[in-house]
Amino acid sequence: MNQIIEIMKNWTKKNLDFGVWRIPNPKLTLLLTILLAVVGNKTMAQGLDDYLTHATENSPLLKASYSQYLASKERIDQPGLPDPELQVGVFLQPMERFMGTQLADYRLMQSFPWFGTIKAQKSEADFSSQAQYQLFMEVRNELFFQIKYTWFDLHRIQGEIDITKEILTYFHKLEELALTDFKASTGSRPSQTSKNPSNSNGEITQEKMSEINSSSGGTNGMAEVIQIRLEIKELENQLALLTSNQNSLFIKFNQLINRDIQDKIELNEKLQPPLLELDKYSLLDSIKEKNPMITKYENDALAYEQRAKIAKLEGNPKIGLGINYSPFLPRENDGIDHSDHSMDMLMPMVTLSLPIFRNKTEGKINEAKYLQEVATQNQLQTENLLAIQWAEAFQNWEDATRSLELYDQQIELVQQQINLLTTSFSNGSVPFSSVLKSQLKILNYQIKRIEAITLQYQSLSLLEKLSGINLINT
């Protein structure tokens, strides 16, 4: 492309006279101008971090998951001593006792679990809360991945739309150029009635087709015009499909970040090929260390271990301490002076549970051990699945990187080819179809290049989700 730019500059210097363009060859001027317009600058996308922040603050999915974590966190302070038990008995009729007349009976008891039970319960709740937090992190990472994946798809479609529009402009100009060549080959002159050999709908009339067939070289010239119009129709249909897909992705993106479906999304910048600095197997190590689901299952296993400990401790006796108080009234005329001492009874009490039914205790212990084994096996299975996802994501990254290098080389070669064909076409030594086919190659390679860059970013997004490491600089 740089060579074409230099040719354009040199051609400009040779054909500039007192600030006015002199056009010795209109076809060459038109082709060079269109080729210069097709190539645009590509810069790194901006704004993704803002959308991720908005999703973090407003996503109902994240809010629900985080509230679930906060709820589990409240369980940590719940274990403790059971509430004291107060029993009050009042006699409807005073009870005559040896010590006097008993009016009521009061009993206050406090039971205590076996030593270490409360600590184990708090540890179990703490590990369960940490597992719930890791589940929240997994939900967040999955949401971020979906947002990033859609974001890069939007950029891909926008890039394809831009290229398709530029090529459509190119073909419309070439249509005019081909019509000019056709009129010149048939010896016709432009007029108000015969400027275009088609009706108002762009269709060739039967009368004009007869005139074309009877003219020398008219058939080939008109065939080129029809070929261009076929390409224009195909590109217009492709543009309509891309626009429809883009609108659907706009709605999806807005819903992912919990915004109104009609809110505008800015896609002003274009993506540059990203760089991956970390080693392939370093990423795998990071995935095994930092993936939320692996950490979740680790905490689940520790929580079930504490649950088994709790079940074992609860199988021990429970101790209760308390006091019993019975107020008495002295009997009348019993001949005893009660002024110096009280007749009320105060009795310390101790209770001890007898855990003789061991089946439920053993059942709870075995249940916790089985659940701990489930968590351990789930962790191993998750590591295997993550390794598979890591391998697929890295393969996609490597394939996209290789393809991108190939497309860049192919675009450079085709640009050189167009440079040569443009000069030959202006001299009439090559047919128009050669230039058309080369330009179509540019279109296809540019679209494939955008798809390769998109695949790079989406692969990095998946690796970010798996490893928890920021690999994309936005």
Side-chain angles (χ1 to χ4, degrees), residues 290-345:
K290 299 181 180 181
N291 186 267
M293 292 306 296
I294 292 180
T295 308
K296 174 191 178 298
Y297 289 127
E298 290 176 351
N299 286 306
D300 282 340
L302 293 174
Y304 293 134
E305 181 181 357
Q306 292 299 314
R307 185 179 297 183
K309 183 178 179 181
I310 293 170
K312 183 177 181 180
L313 291 172
E314 288 179 343
N316 295 322
K318 295 181 179 63
I319 301 173
L321 300 177
I323 189 170
N324 193 78
Y325 172 67
S326 300
F328 287 86
L329 291 178
R331 295 175 181 173
E332 297 180 357
N333 302 322
D334 61 353
I336 300 175
D337 183 9
H338 298 283
S339 60
D340 293 336
H341 63 277
S342 173
M343 298 296 294
D344 297 342
M345 183 185 69

Side-chain angles (χ1 to χ4, degrees), residues 45 49 77 103-105 129 146 172-173 233 263 268 271 282 295 299 315 329 357 386 413 416 426 459:
D49 285 340
D77 296 328
L103 302 176
D105 187 61
S129 176
Q146 293 294 333
H172 281 302
K173 297 297 183 182
K233 293 295 183 181
D263 284 354
N268 296 328
L271 298 177
S282 298
T295 308
N299 286 306
L329 291 178
F357 303 105
L386 291 174
L413 291 174
Q416 296 176 8
S426 63
S459 300

Side-chain angles (χ1 to χ4, degrees), residues 297 304 369-379:
Y297 289 127
Y304 293 134
K369 289 182 177 179
Y370 285 129
L371 291 175
Q372 183 179 3
E373 178 65 18
V374 169
T376 301
Q377 296 302 321
N378 282 337
Q379 178 184 344

Side-chain angles (χ1 to χ4, degrees), residues 142-316:
E142 177 63 27
L143 177 62
F144 280 11
F145 170 69
Q146 293 294 333
I147 292 173
K148 292 176 182 178
Y149 196 95
T150 307
W151 173 260
F152 296 127
D153 259 346
L154 283 171
H155 277 275
R156 173 185 61 81
I157 292 181
Q158 184 61 50
E160 293 179 3
I161 287 176
D162 293 340
I163 292 177
T164 304
K165 286 181 178 179
E166 292 170 353
I167 299 301
L168 265 174
T169 302
Y170 167 79
F171 274 108
H172 281 302
K173 297 297 183 182
L174 285 181
E175 181 185 15
E176 297 177 6
L177 185 61
L179 284 172
T180 302
D181 288 343
F182 162 73
K183 294 168 186 177
S185 64
T186 57
S188 62
R189 295 184 180 180
S191 65
Q192 294 295 330
T193 58
S194 61
K195 184 176 181 180
N196 193 323
S198 61
N199 59 19
S200 58
N201 295 325
E203 300 175 351
I204 308 301
T205 62
Q206 186 67 30
E207 179 182 357
K208 292 297 181 182
M209 184 59 69
S210 299
E211 295 179 3
I212 291 170
N213 292 333
S214 61
S215 302
S216 175
T219 302
N220 293 335
M222 200 63 237
E224 292 180 354
V225 175
I226 294 175
Q227 179 63 31
I228 294 174
R229 289 179 178 175
L230 288 173
E231 297 293 341
I232 289 176
K233 293 295 183 181
E234 179 67 24
L235 288 170
E236 287 176 345
N237 181 65
Q238 182 180 350
L239 182 61
L241 292 175
L242 289 172
T243 303
S244 178
N245 291 337
Q246 186 183 50
N247 292 334
S248 298
L249 286 178
F250 278 146
I251 295 175
K252 177 182 177 181
F253 188 84
N254 279 323
Q255 292 299 286
L256 285 173
I257 63 178
N258 196 30
R259 295 200 316 174
D260 187 85
I261 59 175
Q262 295 182 349
D263 284 354
K264 186 178 180 181
I265 299 174
E266 298 293 339
L267 297 173
N268 296 328
E269 303 295 339
K270 296 183 181 180
L271 298 177
Q272 287 282 15
L275 298 176
L276 179 59
E277 298 178 354
L278 289 180
D279 179 72
K280 179 178 181 179
Y281 292 96
S282 298
L283 273 174
L284 181 60
D285 294 337
S286 298
I287 291 172
K288 293 181 178 179
E289 293 175 2
K290 299 181 180 181
N291 186 267
M293 292 306 296
I294 292 180
T295 308
K296 174 191 178 298
Y297 289 127
E298 290 176 351
N299 286 306
D300 282 340
L302 293 174
Y304 293 134
E305 181 181 357
Q306 292 299 314
R307 185 179 297 183
K309 183 178 179 181
I310 293 170
K312 183 177 181 180
L313 291 172
E314 288 179 343
N316 295 322

Side-chain angles (χ1 to χ4, degrees), residues 74-92:
E74 292 298 322
R75 293 183 56 243
I76 298 176
D77 296 328
Q78 292 180 14
L81 294 174
D83 294 330
E85 182 179 352
L86 176 63
Q87 296 180 2
V88 178
V90 179
F91 294 98
L92 298 179

Side-chain angles (χ1 to χ4, degrees), residues 400-457:
T401 303
R402 248 188 331 267
S403 298
L404 183 61
E405 294 176 356
L406 172 64
Y407 298 145
D408 286 338
Q409 295 173 0
Q410 289 175 323
I411 289 174
E412 183 179 356
L413 291 174
V414 176
Q415 290 285 9
Q416 296 176 8
Q417 183 184 38
I418 290 176
N419 182 25
L420 297 174
L421 289 175
T422 299
T423 304
S424 300
F425 175 62
S426 63
N427 297 329
S429 57
V430 296
F432 160 76
S433 59
S434 299
V435 182
L436 176 60
K437 290 179 181 179
S438 297
Q439 189 57 44
L440 287 176
K441 287 182 182 179
I442 288 288
L443 169 63
N444 292 329
Y445 290 147
Q446 286 178 337
I447 291 178
K448 290 180 179 179
R449 186 178 187 276
I450 292 175
E451 291 174 348
I453 294 176
T454 302
L455 182 57
Q456 281 185 318
Y457 276 102

